[in-house]
Amino acid sequence: MQWVLFGVVFCGLYGVNGNRYADDPAVQRFQEYIRINTTTGGDLTPAVEFWTRLAAEQDVPINVYEYTKGYPIIVLKWAGLDSSLNSIQLNSHVDVVPADESEGWTYPPFGGVLTENGRIYGRGTQDMKSVTIQYYEALSRIKANNITLLRDVYMTIMPDEEVGGEDGMIPFLQSEEFSALNVGLELDEGAPSPIPIIPLFYQDKVVWQIKVDCYGEAAHGSTFPATNSTATGKCRNVIDALLKFREEQYIISTRATIFDAGVYTSVNLNRLNGGTANNIIPSVVSLTFDIRLGTRVNEDAFQAQLEQWIAEAGENITLTYISKNPQSPATVVSLSNPYWRAINQAARSLKVPIIPIVPPGSTDARHVRLAGVPAFGISPMANTPLLLHAVDEYLPASTFLKGINIYEQIITKLANIPSSDTSPDPSVYIVKTAL
Ligand SMILES: *[C@@H]1O[C@H](CO)[C@@H](O)[C@H](O)[C@H]1NC(C)=O
Ligand SMILES: *[C@@H]1O[C@H](CO)[C@@H](O)[C@H](O)[C@H]1NC(C)=O
Ligand SMILES: *[C@@H]1O[C@H](CO)[C@@H](O)[C@H](O)[C@H]1NC(C)=O
Ligand SMILES: *[C@@H]1O[C@H](CO)[C@@H](O)[C@H](O)[C@H]1NC(C)=O
Ligand SMILES: [Zn+2]
């Protein structure tokens, strides 16, 4: 009986919650944005139209730049009192990774469904359409309160992040339009945390992807050449060397705290290709490894190590770099950095712990830091399961709404930093190696 009663009360409460959120205009805008299919590589015209309408509703200027055809970069300007000061760039990406209902989604991935228990389901709810709407809602609220911040604030909305930013952030950083923004600090995406903290990324691990082609003599399947002269035998030697290193790094990773994935280098063998027939010894076998460099790894030394392993594995093995990003510097997370102080103050006034970490992956922020602009990755999703790129990605509406308050504080503190507190050269707030 008691359990039945509990169930009734529980469902009743959830029902009320779901309905309450359904009327919230911020929730509605978030749902509408989720319903636009912005899968990387697809047509972004509807997303540009969506932002053009929202910019008009707040009477803020919008610019759309295309450095690659079909890849619009959207910029909304929220003018401050003194445009001569370094601005604050609130970056997010519009693209999402592919999602298909057939993968087993409970609700359609582009449905933006708000459930009775107050969860908003859909691709991009965590990664990272929530953040873009939260920036917009926070800035709209500040404006509605008749507050003009000291510094200009720009919302920049990038395409192509999920596949590396070659047609998004990378050309934008090289453009005159970006220089003209005179950015002092960039905010970018973070990640949810299952515990009651908000992680803040201050450095990214960079990606090296390598392809190793092992060439050996092709022969009939009945012949019996020395193992080390076959393509598979040579590749076995390469795999042995890299997986031995992987084991060592794996042990280091098991001892690492969740706050510093920068202490280890991850290595994964993700593709093996080769062979033409069941009875032919193949002339070539290929391996593809995805490597995320530890933040303290010297790139030249690591490259030399890779080349040595390949050389020792045998003759006629080639090494090709599919991607080889230079180590990204770190944004200073001590009180000597006025931008970090401002975020710290916001965290204290909100009573939300914001903890600097190095994540296992990387975001567009790595390109920004390399361009000499300090960047922090933060997505306000405490106590939230990690569902980036997952089936049934969702965000509780309550977490989404809390995030607007968090950004209201953070943006206000950042954009009101007095000019005397910051160096006009933002690169002084980045350092080559992690602290
Ligand atoms: C979403 O867009 C992608 C890329 O254009 C497309 O392949 C996919 O079928 C679309 N999904 C839905 C549900 O429309
Ligand atoms: C903001 O200013 C407008 C115009 O002066 C006024 O109508 C409105 O009440 C003000 N809003 C707040 C929250 O003070
Ligand atoms: C095959 O090559 C590996 C790597 O160079 C080497 O360790 C091993 O001793 C070789 N095996 C033979 C039988 O030569
Ligand atoms: C390497 O490739 C060359 C050219 O195909 C060939 O002549 C040579 O025998 C190969 N060496 C080994 C050790 O497989
Ligand atoms: Zn993302």
Side-chain angles (χ1 to χ4, degrees), residues 244-399:
K244 180 168 175 285
F245 175 70
R246 189 189 193 283
E247 291 295 345
E248 293 159 9
Q249 295 299 308
Y250 177 72
I251 290 167
I252 297 171
S253 82
T254 61
R255 298 186 191 128
T257 70
I258 57 162
F259 304 116
D260 196 359
V263 296
Y264 61 89
T265 296
S266 64
V267 179
N268 287 303
L269 172 55
N270 293 345
R271 299 181 75 174
L272 297 98
N273 297 305
T276 53
N278 293 344
N279 63 349
I280 294 176
I281 298 173
S283 59
V284 58
V285 175
S286 302
L287 309 171
T288 307
F289 294 90
D290 182 311
I291 303 170
R292 310 296 169 111
L293 261 59
T295 53
R296 286 116 176 132
V297 169
N298 176 291
E299 297 139 280
D300 294 335
F302 190 68
Q303 180 175 346
Q305 176 67 79
L306 279 177
E307 283 164 7
Q308 192 190 334
W309 285 328
I310 303 297
E312 285 171 0
E315 273 178 56
N316 290 353
I317 306 175
T318 61
L319 169 63
T320 313
Y321 290 93
I322 299 165
S323 66
K324 185 166 178 278
N325 288 296
Q327 285 280 25
S328 164
T331 303
V332 173
V333 278
S334 74
L335 296 177
S336 64
N337 179 351
Y339 297 108
W340 167 245
R341 279 205 306 276
I343 290 177
N344 221 19
Q345 279 168 8
R348 262 183 286 141
S349 74
L350 288 158
K351 301 191 167 49
V352 178
I354 296 181
I355 311 291
I357 78 161
V358 176
S362 59
T363 72
D364 267 349
R366 71 183 188 277
H367 306 303
V368 178
R369 294 188 198 102
L370 268 177
V373 174
F376 289 128
I378 179 169
S379 297
M381 297 185 281
N383 294 314
T384 306
L386 182 83
L387 294 169
L388 281 82
H389 303 192
V391 167
D392 276 349
E393 181 179 353
Y394 76 85
L395 187 65
S398 58
T399 309

Side-chain angles (χ1 to χ4, degrees), residues 28 34 43 57 103 116 118 140 163 190 196 213 250 287 306 340 354 363 413:
Q28 288 170 352
I34 295 298
D43 179 19
E57 282 175 16
E103 295 164 332
E116 280 295 291
S140 302
V163 293
D213 295 302
Y250 177 72
L287 309 171
L306 279 177
W340 167 245
I354 296 181
T363 72
K413 292 275 194 307

Side-chain angles (χ1 to χ4, degrees), residues 17-37:
N17 277 345
N19 291 338
R20 179 159 55 92
Y21 296 130
D23 296 331
D24 189 302
V27 169
Q28 288 170 352
R29 275 185 283 267
F30 182 30
Q31 288 175 283
E32 189 186 345
Y33 194 29
I34 295 298
R35 288 178 190 136
I36 306 172
N37 177 358

Side-chain angles (χ1 to χ4, degrees), residues 93 95 127-128 161-162 189 388-389:
H93 60 83
D95 63 322
D127 185 13
M128 63 174 304
E161 189 276 344
E162 294 292 358
E189 73 185 303
L388 281 82
H389 303 192

Side-chain angles (χ1 to χ4, degrees), residues 17 102 211 261 301 304:
N17 277 345
S102 67
K211 183 164 175 279

